[in-house]
Amino acid sequence: MSIEQRHDSRSAGHPAKPSTARRFIVLGRWALVAAGIVAIALGFAAASPVVRFAAFAGLSFLLANALWQHMPLSQACAAAAAIAIVFGAAVALYRLFAWGMGLESWLPDALGAVVGALVAYPALKRIDRISPDGL
């Protein structure tokens, strides 16, 4: 089963109960996303643009990884980039009002979010080919 079809893998009349291992994997993916958000929120002021770029790339990748279990991979990557960009904009607005930093401080965040989603697509597709059971 391909990544693009996984979100429709259950039969319409009899939804299969997810295994315990699968539940922990999905929970773990979302826990990584939450940890990324907390790490960015706690370190948003002191981080250099390069560190913020990497942090938002990682956040976008983790979001795509978590979302592709619920939607097609292409949509998951687009949604991950959009969510990370909006989160980056919120952080940039906070930096603007709290420290007087310009909105250009948002550029590394947004670029990192896009790069993370672009890297996630082929990486997750390859992982799906290696492990087609969906874990």
Side-chain angles (χ1 to χ4, degrees):
M1 174 183 337
S2 76
I3 276 177
E4 298 294 336
Q5 296 169 339
R6 182 164 298 131
H7 74 286
D8 293 329
S9 64
R10 296 185 204 168
S11 63
H14 303 0
K17 184 178 177 186
S19 71
T20 302
R22 174 133 169 84
R23 284 188 205 141
F24 281 119
I25 290 169
V26 171
L27 182 63
R29 286 177 174 151
W30 284 107
L32 287 172
V33 170
I37 289 171
V38 168
I40 289 170
L42 293 176
F44 60 82
S48 72
V50 173
V51 171
R52 288 196 326 266
F53 173 89
F56 277 90
L59 175 62
S60 184
F61 186 97
L62 291 172
L63 273 167
N65 186 30
L67 289 169
W68 75 272
Q69 296 299 305
H70 309 287
M71 63 181 65
L73 180 59
S74 57
Q75 290 178 6
C77 290
I83 292 167
I85 287 170
V86 169
F87 180 62
V91 170
L93 284 173
Y94 182 78
R95 284 191 298 251
L96 173 69
F97 293 117
W99 289 289
M101 296 173 75
L103 287 178
E104 70 277 354
S105 69
W106 176 62
L107 187 59
D109 306 350
L111 288 174
V114 170
V115 167
L118 290 174
V119 168
Y121 186 82
L124 294 175
K125 203 168 202 173
R126 181 179 172 124
I127 289 169
D128 188 56
R129 273 187 264 133
I130 294 169
S131 175
D133 61 355
L135 291 179

